[in-house]
mmCIF file of all heavy atoms in Angstrom:
data_model
loop_
_atom_site.group_PDB
_atom_site.id
_atom_site.type_symbol
_atom_site.label_atom_id
_atom_site.label_comp_id
_atom_site.label_asym_id
_atom_site.label_seq_id
_atom_site.Cartn_x
_atom_site.Cartn_y
_atom_site.Cartn_z
ATOM 1 N N ALA A 119 105.527 97.347 113.522
ATOM 2 C CA ALA A 119 104.215 96.778 113.241
ATOM 3 C C ALA A 119 103.708 96.104 114.505
ATOM 4 O O ALA A 119 104.491 95.584 115.303
ATOM 5 C CB ALA A 119 104.314 95.756 112.117
ATOM 6 N N GLN A 120 102.423 96.155 114.710
ATOM 7 C CA GLN A 120 101.820 95.439 115.829
ATOM 8 C C GLN A 120 100.376 95.171 115.445
ATOM 9 O O GLN A 120 99.845 95.813 114.549
ATOM 10 C CB GLN A 120 101.884 96.285 117.093
ATOM 11 C CG GLN A 120 100.989 97.512 116.981
ATOM 12 C CD GLN A 120 101.156 98.477 118.130
ATOM 13 O OE1 GLN A 120 102.243 98.680 118.632
ATOM 14 N NE2 GLN A 120 100.064 99.074 118.533
ATOM 15 N N LYS A 121 99.759 94.203 116.138
ATOM 16 C CA LYS A 121 98.348 93.949 115.888
ATOM 17 C C LYS A 121 97.558 95.159 116.385
ATOM 18 O O LYS A 121 97.544 95.403 117.583
ATOM 19 C CB LYS A 121 97.892 92.694 116.608
ATOM 20 C CG LYS A 121 98.565 91.432 116.049
ATOM 21 C CD LYS A 121 97.891 90.172 116.526
ATOM 22 C CE LYS A 121 98.394 89.772 117.890
ATOM 23 N NZ LYS A 121 97.870 88.474 118.352
ATOM 24 N N TRP A 122 96.887 95.988 115.591
ATOM 25 C CA TRP A 122 96.851 95.956 114.154
ATOM 26 C C TRP A 122 97.058 97.356 113.643
ATOM 27 O O TRP A 122 96.142 98.002 113.171
ATOM 28 C CB TRP A 122 95.504 95.394 113.673
ATOM 29 C CG TRP A 122 95.422 93.908 113.866
ATOM 30 C CD1 TRP A 122 95.937 92.962 113.017
ATOM 31 C CD2 TRP A 122 94.825 93.183 114.933
ATOM 32 N NE1 TRP A 122 95.702 91.686 113.521
ATOM 33 C CE2 TRP A 122 95.015 91.800 114.695
ATOM 34 C CE3 TRP A 122 94.181 93.559 116.115
ATOM 35 C CZ2 TRP A 122 94.571 90.803 115.563
ATOM 36 C CZ3 TRP A 122 93.738 92.563 116.968
ATOM 37 C CH2 TRP A 122 93.935 91.199 116.683
ATOM 38 N N SER A 123 98.275 97.802 113.795
ATOM 39 C CA SER A 123 98.564 99.150 113.317
ATOM 40 C C SER A 123 100.048 99.272 113.004
ATOM 41 O O SER A 123 100.849 98.414 113.378
ATOM 42 C CB SER A 123 98.177 100.182 114.376
ATOM 43 O OG SER A 123 99.011 100.025 115.497
ATOM 44 N N TRP A 124 100.362 100.361 112.322
ATOM 45 C CA TRP A 124 101.750 100.659 111.976
ATOM 46 C C TRP A 124 102.169 101.901 112.731
ATOM 47 O O TRP A 124 101.361 102.810 112.913
ATOM 48 C CB TRP A 124 101.866 100.964 110.480
ATOM 49 C CG TRP A 124 101.442 99.853 109.596
ATOM 50 C CD1 TRP A 124 100.226 99.708 108.980
ATOM 51 C CD2 TRP A 124 102.213 98.723 109.212
ATOM 52 N NE1 TRP A 124 100.209 98.553 108.247
ATOM 53 C CE2 TRP A 124 101.418 97.923 108.361
ATOM 54 C CE3 TRP A 124 103.521 98.300 109.502
ATOM 55 C CZ2 TRP A 124 101.867 96.736 107.810
ATOM 56 C CZ3 TRP A 124 103.961 97.113 108.942
ATOM 57 C CH2 TRP A 124 103.140 96.343 108.110
ATOM 58 N N SER A 151 108.574 94.006 114.303
ATOM 59 C CA SER A 151 107.206 93.796 114.765
ATOM 60 C C SER A 151 107.221 93.506 116.254
ATOM 61 O O SER A 151 108.183 92.944 116.775
ATOM 62 C CB SER A 151 106.583 92.624 114.007
ATOM 63 O OG SER A 151 105.411 92.201 114.656
ATOM 64 N N ASP A 153 104.727 91.703 117.714
ATOM 65 C CA ASP A 153 104.022 90.469 118.056
ATOM 66 C C ASP A 153 104.189 89.374 117.002
ATOM 67 O O ASP A 153 104.970 88.466 117.191
ATOM 68 C CB ASP A 153 102.543 90.767 118.337
ATOM 69 C CG ASP A 153 101.982 91.860 117.430
ATOM 70 O OD1 ASP A 153 102.244 91.802 116.222
ATOM 71 O OD2 ASP A 153 101.271 92.744 117.925
ATOM 72 N N VAL A 154 103.485 89.469 115.900
ATOM 73 C CA VAL A 154 103.521 88.403 114.895
ATOM 74 C C VAL A 154 104.096 88.985 113.600
ATOM 75 O O VAL A 154 104.448 90.159 113.557
ATOM 76 C CB VAL A 154 102.111 87.826 114.637
ATOM 77 C CG1 VAL A 154 101.559 87.199 115.895
ATOM 78 C CG2 VAL A 154 101.176 88.912 114.113
ATOM 79 N N ILE A 155 104.181 88.158 112.561
ATOM 80 C CA ILE A 155 104.729 88.656 111.294
ATOM 81 C C ILE A 155 103.681 89.495 110.573
ATOM 82 O O ILE A 155 102.534 89.069 110.400
ATOM 83 C CB ILE A 155 105.188 87.505 110.387
ATOM 84 C CG1 ILE A 155 106.225 86.645 111.108
ATOM 85 C CG2 ILE A 155 105.790 88.041 109.090
ATOM 86 C CD1 ILE A 155 106.689 85.451 110.292
ATOM 87 N N HIS A 156 104.057 90.691 110.208
ATOM 88 C CA HIS A 156 103.247 91.559 109.352
ATOM 89 C C HIS A 156 104.080 91.826 108.101
ATOM 90 O O HIS A 156 105.256 91.472 108.050
ATOM 91 C CB HIS A 156 102.933 92.882 110.047
ATOM 92 C CG HIS A 156 102.254 92.728 111.381
ATOM 93 N ND1 HIS A 156 100.885 92.661 111.500
ATOM 94 C CD2 HIS A 156 102.748 92.613 112.627
ATOM 95 C CE1 HIS A 156 100.579 92.527 112.788
ATOM 96 N NE2 HIS A 156 101.688 92.496 113.495
ATOM 97 N N SER A 157 103.465 92.468 107.116
ATOM 98 C CA SER A 157 104.232 92.792 105.925
ATOM 99 C C SER A 157 103.774 94.135 105.387
ATOM 100 O O SER A 157 102.588 94.334 105.130
ATOM 101 C CB SER A 157 104.046 91.683 104.884
ATOM 102 O OG SER A 157 104.897 91.909 103.797
ATOM 103 N N LEU A 158 104.725 95.047 105.268
ATOM 104 C CA LEU A 158 104.399 96.387 104.781
ATOM 105 C C LEU A 158 104.368 96.357 103.259
ATOM 106 O O LEU A 158 105.353 95.998 102.626
ATOM 107 C CB LEU A 158 105.463 97.386 105.241
ATOM 108 C CG LEU A 158 105.136 98.832 104.863
ATOM 109 C CD1 LEU A 158 104.455 99.524 106.032
ATOM 110 C CD2 LEU A 158 106.384 99.595 104.465
ATOM 111 N N TYR A 212 99.185 98.558 102.789
ATOM 112 C CA TYR A 212 98.439 97.395 103.294
ATOM 113 C C TYR A 212 99.365 96.543 104.160
ATOM 114 O O TYR A 212 100.577 96.587 103.994
ATOM 115 C CB TYR A 212 97.976 96.503 102.134
ATOM 116 C CG TYR A 212 97.000 97.148 101.204
ATOM 117 C CD1 TYR A 212 97.435 97.854 100.093
ATOM 118 C CD2 TYR A 212 95.628 97.027 101.424
ATOM 119 C CE1 TYR A 212 96.545 98.439 99.229
ATOM 120 C CE2 TYR A 212 94.731 97.611 100.558
ATOM 121 C CZ TYR A 212 95.182 98.314 99.461
ATOM 122 O OH TYR A 212 94.299 98.893 98.607
ATOM 123 N N CYS A 213 98.755 95.714 105.004
ATOM 124 C CA CYS A 213 99.501 94.632 105.621
ATOM 125 C C CYS A 213 99.288 93.416 104.726
ATOM 126 O O CYS A 213 98.158 93.061 104.417
ATOM 127 C CB CYS A 213 98.992 94.331 107.030
ATOM 128 S SG CYS A 213 99.869 92.944 107.777
ATOM 129 N N ALA A 214 100.383 92.811 104.275
ATOM 130 C CA ALA A 214 100.265 91.735 103.297
ATOM 131 C C ALA A 214 100.609 90.376 103.900
ATOM 132 O O ALA A 214 101.047 89.477 103.198
ATOM 133 C CB ALA A 214 101.165 92.027 102.099
ATOM 134 N N GLU A 215 100.465 90.260 105.232
ATOM 135 C CA GLU A 215 100.728 88.961 105.856
ATOM 136 C C GLU A 215 99.599 88.747 106.851
ATOM 137 O O GLU A 215 99.408 89.588 107.736
ATOM 138 C CB GLU A 215 102.086 89.010 106.566
ATOM 139 C CG GLU A 215 102.498 87.707 107.218
ATOM 140 C CD GLU A 215 102.850 86.646 106.203
ATOM 141 O OE1 GLU A 215 103.649 86.936 105.297
ATOM 142 O OE2 GLU A 215 102.309 85.542 106.303
ATOM 143 N N TYR A 216 98.867 87.635 106.722
ATOM 144 C CA TYR A 216 97.718 87.436 107.589
ATOM 145 C C TYR A 216 98.162 87.402 109.049
ATOM 146 O O TYR A 216 98.978 86.569 109.435
ATOM 147 C CB TYR A 216 96.979 86.141 107.227
ATOM 148 C CG TYR A 216 95.757 85.980 108.088
ATOM 149 C CD1 TYR A 216 94.671 86.831 107.918
ATOM 150 C CD2 TYR A 216 95.710 85.045 109.108
ATOM 151 C CE1 TYR A 216 93.565 86.745 108.737
ATOM 152 C CE2 TYR A 216 94.612 84.945 109.931
ATOM 153 C CZ TYR A 216 93.542 85.794 109.740
ATOM 154 O OH TYR A 216 92.449 85.723 110.562
ATOM 155 N N CYS A 217 97.632 88.341 109.859
ATOM 156 C CA CYS A 217 98.164 88.513 111.212
ATOM 157 C C CYS A 217 97.069 88.500 112.270
ATOM 158 O O CYS A 217 97.284 88.948 113.385
ATOM 159 C CB CYS A 217 98.952 89.819 111.272
ATOM 160 S SG CYS A 217 98.014 91.252 110.726
ATOM 161 N N GLY A 218 95.883 88.004 111.936
ATOM 162 C CA GLY A 218 94.825 87.931 112.942
ATOM 163 C C GLY A 218 93.545 88.573 112.440
ATOM 164 O O GLY A 218 93.451 88.980 111.283
ATOM 165 N N GLN A 220 91.978 91.370 112.631
ATOM 166 C CA GLN A 220 91.862 92.710 112.038
ATOM 167 C C GLN A 220 92.889 92.933 110.932
ATOM 168 O O GLN A 220 93.161 94.075 110.563
ATOM 169 C CB GLN A 220 92.075 93.780 113.116
ATOM 170 C CG GLN A 220 91.156 93.683 114.286
ATOM 171 C CD GLN A 220 89.884 94.464 114.050
ATOM 172 O OE1 GLN A 220 89.896 95.508 113.431
ATOM 173 N NE2 GLN A 220 88.785 93.953 114.525
ATOM 174 N N HIS A 221 93.471 91.847 110.426
ATOM 175 C CA HIS A 221 94.507 91.968 109.396
ATOM 176 C C HIS A 221 94.060 92.850 108.234
ATOM 177 O O HIS A 221 94.788 93.727 107.782
ATOM 178 C CB HIS A 221 94.877 90.569 108.897
ATOM 179 C CG HIS A 221 95.449 90.529 107.523
ATOM 180 N ND1 HIS A 221 96.722 90.968 107.253
ATOM 181 C CD2 HIS A 221 94.919 90.140 106.342
ATOM 182 C CE1 HIS A 221 96.952 90.829 105.954
ATOM 183 N NE2 HIS A 221 95.881 90.333 105.392
ATOM 184 N N SER A 222 92.824 92.612 107.783
ATOM 185 C CA SER A 222 92.364 93.350 106.599
ATOM 186 C C SER A 222 92.142 94.824 106.896
ATOM 187 O O SER A 222 91.962 95.613 105.981
ATOM 188 C CB SER A 222 91.082 92.723 106.057
ATOM 189 O OG SER A 222 90.091 92.783 107.058
ATOM 190 N N LYS A 223 92.138 95.190 108.177
ATOM 191 C CA LYS A 223 91.961 96.609 108.510
ATOM 192 C C LYS A 223 93.278 97.271 108.891
ATOM 193 O O LYS A 223 93.299 98.406 109.355
ATOM 194 C CB LYS A 223 90.973 96.752 109.656
ATOM 195 C CG LYS A 223 89.574 96.345 109.252
ATOM 196 C CD LYS A 223 88.587 96.770 110.304
ATOM 197 C CE LYS A 223 87.186 96.331 109.927
ATOM 198 N NZ LYS A 223 86.345 96.192 111.112
ATOM 199 N N MET A 224 94.369 96.532 108.736
ATOM 200 C CA MET A 224 95.669 97.089 109.113
ATOM 201 C C MET A 224 96.192 97.947 107.953
ATOM 202 O O MET A 224 97.128 97.585 107.259
ATOM 203 C CB MET A 224 96.633 95.953 109.446
ATOM 204 C CG MET A 224 97.863 96.414 110.189
ATOM 205 S SD MET A 224 98.762 95.028 110.856
ATOM 206 C CE MET A 224 100.362 95.786 111.084
HETATM 207 CU CU1 CUA B 16 99.429 92.868 110.053
HETATM 208 CU CU2 CUA B 16 98.274 91.500 108.504
#
Side-chain angles (χ1 to χ4, degrees):
Q120 68 188 37
K121 294 193 277 186
W122 285 278
S123 66
W124 300 98
S151 165
D153 36 45
V154 298
I155 303 178
H156 304 271
S157 187
L158 184 96
Y212 296 90
C213 178
E215 182 70 50
Y216 183 69
C217 54
Q220 304 271 324
H221 156 73
S222 60
K223 293 192 182 155
M224 195 168 160

